[in-house]
Amino acid sequence: MADAKVIPFDEDRPRGSAPRAGRRRSAQGGGSGRVTPLPGQPTPDAEADAPRRPAREAGDDSWERRVAGGLAFLRRRITGEYEVDEFGYDEELTDQVLMSLLRPLYDKYFRVEVRGVENIPAEGGALVVANHSGTLPLDGLMMQVAVHDHHPAGRHLRLLAADLVFMLPVVSELARKAGHTLACAEDAERLLRRGEVVGVMPEGFKGIGKPFSERYKLQRFGRGGFVSTALRAGAPIVPCSIVGAEEIYPMVGNARTLARLLGFPYFPLTPTFPWLGPLGALPLPTKWTIQFGEPIRTDGYAPEAVEDPMLMFNLTDQVREQIQHTLYKLLVRRRSVFF
């Protein structure tokens, strides 16, 4: 049975405010303001003599718990009394720090609306396959927050990331701590067999670095490697469509020579970057929608099905078409890019 909500008496009610419920003014003495208690209530004198709890704002107890929890968290960090898995995933750091850093961007800046997150199974492995866009991979991070904060079973999304992510200083360490791992079939299958929810964006750099003129047009999904991984693990495939990320950095050009010198797959030119310097790296505050579709089951296929190229092609095309069709539906319903 749920705990009852306790509402404290307003002992510190300002003078001149309305009398509390459960009291009545005496008819004697005109406007003397004398208060007569109802039957069964303590007298004013007895109430005045009772010890009073210091006035405090609502939520102070919660604030004290947060401070205590924060100090305990720091102690575990300093003493090393925390756990990471074989991939470097630090669940406590992700829950208490990394998600908290991403949440304002998710809730206030992009105002993400999530639909169909319950289509991700409550337990067991599942492969979430999504479109990729936006010049910088913010869509993957927002999808991770969506699953973390909104799934009824409180599941965590483990993203498969490109090798470039793990070559960058600081970014590499944070990605590992957040549960990301290299986008290879072996790691993905191990995670799925362990019962994790794994996220993959098969378009890769072709999707995230495509020009603005090709927005919301899915690029090629490769050779269907994610399908064979799901089949081997017997995990369902959950298509995911993301609207809003395409417009955060409208890519109108690509400085290929500079990209080659820096070792990047592309160097974006947008209406604000690099012309406005660091200010140009600020994403536009678009309104996002993330929709998870009906899962496509894979556990009914025979083990040798992974060797059937036609089946791989058909399942890959089915996932791609479902994502593309949902993108079109979401775009038709969208009132504005920013609202």
Side-chain angles (χ1 to χ4, degrees):
M1 183 174 66
D3 294 333
K5 182 178 180 182
V6 179
I7 303 176
F9 286 104
D10 52 345
E11 290 106 348
D12 299 306
R13 177 174 55 86
R15 295 178 181 271
S17 62
R20 292 188 290 270
R23 296 286 187 89
R24 63 171 178 243
R25 293 282 181 184
S26 172
Q28 299 176 356
S32 65
R34 180 182 178 185
V35 177
T36 302
L38 292 172
Q41 286 191 331
T43 63
D45 292 338
E47 189 178 273
D49 292 338
R52 294 192 176 193
R53 180 176 62 85
R56 56 175 64 185
E57 297 291 333
D60 276 4
D61 290 338
S62 175
W63 176 252
E64 290 175 359
R65 286 195 297 270
R66 289 182 182 179
V67 171
L71 292 175
F73 172 79
L74 289 176
R75 179 186 61 78
R76 289 192 294 273
R77 293 285 122 184
I78 294 172
T79 60
E81 297 177 3
Y82 60 91
E83 296 180 355
V84 297
D85 71 4
E86 58 185 301
F87 298 95
Y89 175 44
D90 189 333
E91 184 174 347
E92 183 184 49
L93 182 70
T94 300
D95 289 345
Q96 298 195 25
V97 178
L98 301 182
M99 289 294 109
S100 297
L101 294 175
L102 291 172
R103 202 166 282 123
L105 191 65
Y106 176 93
D107 286 330
K108 305 298 183 183
Y109 199 78
F110 294 136
R111 296 146 291 146
V112 180
E113 177 185 356
V114 181
R115 301 176 180 177
V117 69
E118 66 278 358
N119 286 321
I120 298 175
E123 58 183 16
L127 184 65
V128 178
V129 181
N131 59 303
H132 206 14
S133 63
T135 305
L136 291 181
L138 296 180
D139 50 359
L141 298 177
M142 295 301 102
M143 186 170 63
Q144 189 174 11
V145 178
V147 175
H148 182 277
D149 286 3
H150 296 284
H151 194 277
R155 305 215 62 181
H156 295 73
L157 181 67
R158 307 289 297 271
L159 288 171
L160 302 180
D163 53 359
L164 177 61
V165 171
F166 301 103
M167 296 170 59
L168 300 174
V170 181
V171 173
S172 171
E173 183 67 18
L174 289 176
R176 288 287 185 189
K177 294 289 187 182
H180 305 178
T181 191
L182 190 64
C184 66
E186 292 78 11
D187 285 357
E189 186 175 345
R190 285 166 62 195
L191 286 169
L192 289 172
R193 290 189 182 278
R194 281 175 34 175
E196 301 281 0
V197 179
V198 179
V200 63
M201 295 171 161
E203 291 176 282
F205 291 123
K206 300 189 301 295
I208 197 174
K210 64 177 178 287
F212 188 65
S213 59
E214 297 180 16
R215 59 191 179 279
Y216 298 114
K217 296 177 181 177
L218 291 184
Q219 305 299 299
R220 185 170 172 267
F221 269 20
R223 292 173 292 180
F226 69 90
V227 171
S228 62
T229 299
L231 283 170
R232 286 191 177 93
I237 299 172
V238 181
C240 177
S241 302
I242 304 173
V243 165
E246 293 276 13
E247 294 90 359
I248 60 172
Y249 296 111
M251 185 169 163
V252 296
N254 181 12
R256 290 183 174 84
T257 302
L258 184 56
R260 283 195 296 270
L261 290 174
L262 296 174
F264 295 161
Y266 56 88
F267 189 89
L269 303 175
T270 75
T272 58
F273 182 82
W275 330 115
L276 299 183
L279 185 61
L282 187 68
L284 296 178
T286 58
K287 176 73 170 63
W288 287 35
T289 301
I290 299 178
Q291 180 160 331
F292 298 90
E294 292 286 340
I296 299 170
R297 298 181 61 91
T298 64
D299 54 357
Y301 293 96
E304 59 271 16
V306 295
E307 307 298 332
D308 185 348
M310 187 56 67
L311 177 63
M312 296 296 103
F313 175 81
N314 289 337
L315 286 176
T316 302
D317 192 57
Q318 180 183 351
V319 175
R320 186 180 181 279
E321 286 300 315
Q322 189 167 334
I323 295 172
Q324 184 70 79
H325 182 64
T326 303
L327 286 174
Y328 288 148
K329 289 199 300 184
L330 292 174
L331 289 170
V332 169
R333 296 172 185 169
R334 184 169 67 166
R335 295 179 302 166
S336 165
V337 172
F338 299 101
F339 303 102

